[in-house]
């Protein structure tokens, strides 16, 4: 007997296979307006960058000139890997002649990179971390790229890009690419968080999961505990708490995108707090923490510096750093409660020590 469900199942599979990133962005916006077309074109170019970087990574151990360091140091004082530079140039290259992006700002460049031929009409700025988790490159572990898109405000005639120094709510899109066992692209344009997997046989990102939601609470805490004695006492209090209570488990890969993806998928909290020497932490606001905060909020979670909602932080400089506590609402609130408790104690101690 013929299987009557077969055509239905086949239609469903085909429909899923045809849900490419470009189509998805247009579907999300329910429109073919100029802005919807722009966003779809922006995402298509980011996807092209992702495919180029992914292709190079997949052959890293086989060809010359992919692994290792360049011998130079970037604006952050970190040694630059060959893949960092390649990925940085890929993003610039895919946006040339696009008419979309006038400026790109990244971890690898001290000042924004202008594409003069786009500037008269390019209304958007791309902020990105071309390779996040660089220490994983040479050992073939997961790494990522992070991106954020902002509308350009004003004509930036002095070339200072000061309109970028605004809070995270000015982002119109954000996302990341995870180069793991498969290459995934996760994005939001303010209508939920959606993940795509690169199908190498098609060369297309195909929808994997729509409207990802982070659980209210999760078992994972993700932090570099090697910094334990460099942290403020409040963070040590939190870590002692999870050590003493059942139901917590530690996971830390050393690459933010992978660790974030795990938290987004399974719940819990990722922390990169400030240290005594560097109270501002390690991660950069405009192209690392703010885009991830945008995604986490869209997925029903939260991002905090410990004392402020991360989405509200207004940077004073392009490469400004922030502490990061991000993940399930309940877990972020728990970390914040330890910080608030210590702050209250120290305020009370100051008051008590005042004469008279
Ligand atoms: P990396 O320096 O290797 O590029 O972006 C910075 C970052 O990696 C994050 O991806 C990662 O979460 C963090 O730094 C790791 O820093 P630690 O080695 O200090 O834990």
């Amino acid at each position: 007997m013929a299987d009557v469900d077969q055509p239905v199942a086949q239609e469903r599979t085909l429909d899923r296979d045809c849900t490419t990133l470009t189509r998805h962005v247009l579907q999300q916006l329910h429109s073919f307006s100029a802005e919807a077309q722009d966003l779809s074109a922006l995402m298509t170019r980011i996807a092209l960058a992702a495919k180029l970087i992914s292709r190079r990574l997949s052959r890293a151990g086989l060809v010359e000139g992919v692994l290792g360091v360049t011998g130079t140091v970037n604006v952050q004082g970190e040694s630059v890997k060959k893949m960092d530079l390649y990925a940085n140039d890929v993003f610039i290259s895919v946006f040339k002649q696009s008419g979309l992006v006038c400026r790109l700002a990244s971890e690898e460049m001290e000042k924004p990179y202008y594409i003069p031929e786009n500037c008269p009409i390019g209304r958007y700025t791309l902020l990105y971390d071309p390779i996040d988790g660089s220490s994983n490159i040479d050992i073939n572990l997961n790494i990522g790229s992070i991106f954020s898109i902002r509308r350009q405000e004003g004509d930036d005639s002095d070339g200072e890009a000061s309109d970028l120094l605004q809070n995270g709510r000015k982002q119109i899109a954000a996302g990341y690419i995870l180069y793991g066992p498969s290459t995934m692209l996760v994005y939001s344009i303010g209508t939920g968080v959606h993940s795509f997997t690169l199908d190498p046989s098609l060369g297309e990102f195909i929808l994997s999961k729509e409207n990802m939601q982070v659980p209210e609470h999760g078992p994972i805490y993700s932090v570099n505990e090697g910094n334990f004695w460099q942290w403020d006492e409040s963070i040590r209090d939190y870590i002692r708490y999870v050590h003493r209570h059942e139901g917590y488990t530690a996971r830390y890969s050393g690459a933010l995108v992978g660790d974030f993806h795990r938290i987004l998928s399974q719940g819990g909290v990722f922390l990169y707090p400030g240290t005594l020497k560097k109270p501002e932490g390690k991660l950069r606001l405009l192209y690392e923490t703010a885009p991830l905060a945008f995604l986490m909020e869209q997925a029903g979670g939260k991002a905090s510096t410990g004392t402020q909602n991360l989405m509200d932080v207004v940077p004073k400089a392009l490469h400004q750093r922030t502490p990061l506590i991000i993940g399930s609402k309940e877990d972020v609130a728990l970390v914040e409660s330890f910080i608030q408790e210590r702050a209250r104690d120290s305020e009370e101690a100051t008051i008590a020590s005042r004469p008279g």
Side-chain angles (χ1 to χ4, degrees):
M1 209 174 78
D3 182 354
V4 284
D5 287 340
Q6 209 187 335
V8 180
Q10 181 170 310
E11 196 182 320
R12 228 182 288 130
T13 312
L14 268 177
D15 229 23
R16 211 210 54 192
D17 281 354
C18 290
T19 307
T20 60
L21 188 60
T22 317
R23 172 167 142 181
H24 194 260
V25 176
L26 291 170
Q27 271 173 2
Q28 287 296 303
L29 292 168
H30 305 290
S31 131
F32 289 99
S33 65
E35 170 131 328
Q37 300 281 353
D38 281 356
L39 276 173
S40 161
L42 283 159
M43 290 307 304
T44 304
R45 285 178 191 253
I46 289 170
L48 175 60
K51 289 179 222 172
L52 287 162
I53 296 168
S54 174
R55 184 181 67 178
R56 194 162 174 92
L57 285 170
S58 68
R59 298 159 64 214
L62 303 172
V63 290
E64 285 294 306
V66 179
L67 300 178
V69 291
T70 59
T72 53
V73 169
N74 68 11
V75 56
Q76 331 277 342
E78 296 157 353
S79 90
V80 178
K81 299 255 163 114
K82 290 177 186 162
M83 257 326 280
D84 289 326
L85 270 198
Y86 174 79
N88 192 61
D89 291 349
V90 163
F91 277 95
I92 293 173
S93 202
V94 297
F95 280 105
K96 277 186 183 157
Q97 313 284 330
S98 68
L100 291 164
V101 162
C102 167
R103 304 171 304 195
L104 295 98
S106 100
E107 178 184 339
E108 303 303 331
M109 303 184 288
E110 188 176 355
K111 295 208 173 275
Y113 182 100
Y114 289 79
I115 306 180
E117 72 264 23
N118 288 347
C119 285
I121 45 169
R123 293 182 291 275
Y124 306 96
T125 298
L126 182 84
L127 296 123
Y128 64 112
D129 184 0
I131 296 285
D132 180 77
S134 300
S135 68
N136 279 6
I137 300 174
D138 293 343
I139 48 168
N140 195 28
L141 291 183
N142 73 270
I143 51 178
S145 302
I146 306 176
F147 61 89
S148 159
I149 299 168
R150 292 180 183 231
R151 238 179 243 109
Q152 181 167 330
E153 293 185 8
D155 58 10
D156 188 16
S157 50
D158 57 5
E160 288 296 318
S162 44
D163 59 300
L164 293 176
L165 304 182
Q166 300 193 63
N167 70 28
R169 303 192 190 279
K170 287 283 179 181
Q171 297 173 102
I172 56 169
Y176 59 84
I177 300 130
L178 172 61
Y179 311 100
S182 61
T183 298
M184 294 192 80
L185 190 153
V186 179
Y187 88 103
S188 177
I189 48 174
T191 60
V193 179
H194 317 290
S195 75
F196 288 72
T197 303
L198 180 62
D199 181 334
S201 65
L202 294 172
E204 286 277 8
F205 280 100
I206 303 296
L207 181 65
S208 296
K209 200 155 190 224
E210 215 166 22
N211 291 318
M212 295 177 80
Q213 284 289 305
V214 64
E216 288 282 301
H217 161 69
I220 294 154
Y221 72 100
S222 185
V223 66
N224 184 346
E225 285 197 54
N227 293 332
F228 190 84
W229 292 108
Q230 305 302 315
W231 294 328
D232 183 74
E233 197 59 34
S234 56
I235 303 295
R236 290 204 284 269
D237 288 344
Y238 168 73
I239 296 298
R240 289 186 190 107
Y241 175 92
V242 296
H243 286 176
R244 285 175 188 147
H245 288 77
E246 262 182 46
Y248 289 97
T249 185
R251 291 287 184 275
Y252 190 74
S253 76
L256 176 60
V257 167
D259 289 324
F260 177 87
H261 190 71
R262 186 198 297 274
I263 298 292
L264 180 65
S265 310
Q266 300 176 341
V269 63
F270 174 93
L271 303 93
Y272 207 109
T275 56
L276 299 176
K277 279 193 199 138
K278 287 190 174 170
E280 70 284 8
K282 178 179 185 189
L283 305 173
R284 276 59 53 118
L285 177 69
L286 284 169
Y287 42 82
E288 287 185 305
T289 60
L292 297 184
F294 182 89
L295 291 170
M296 194 47 91
E297 225 175 60
Q298 283 290 317
K302 198 182 165 191
S304 165
T305 62
T307 53
Q308 187 183 13
N309 187 321
L310 203 129
M311 289 287 279
D312 295 328
V313 178
V314 178
K316 292 193 176 63
L318 190 62
H319 298 289
Q320 182 168 317
R321 298 170 195 260
T322 48
L324 177 67
I325 299 156
I326 194 164
S328 299
K329 269 189 181 153
E330 283 178 19
D331 299 292
V332 173
L334 181 63
V335 181
E336 285 178 324
S337 72
F338 282 98
I339 295 170
Q340 282 153 10
E341 200 177 303
R342 281 281 170 183
R344 256 195 320 269
D345 289 353
S346 93
E347 207 174 302
E348 279 167 18
T350 314
I351 293 169
S353 68
R354 277 191 201 133

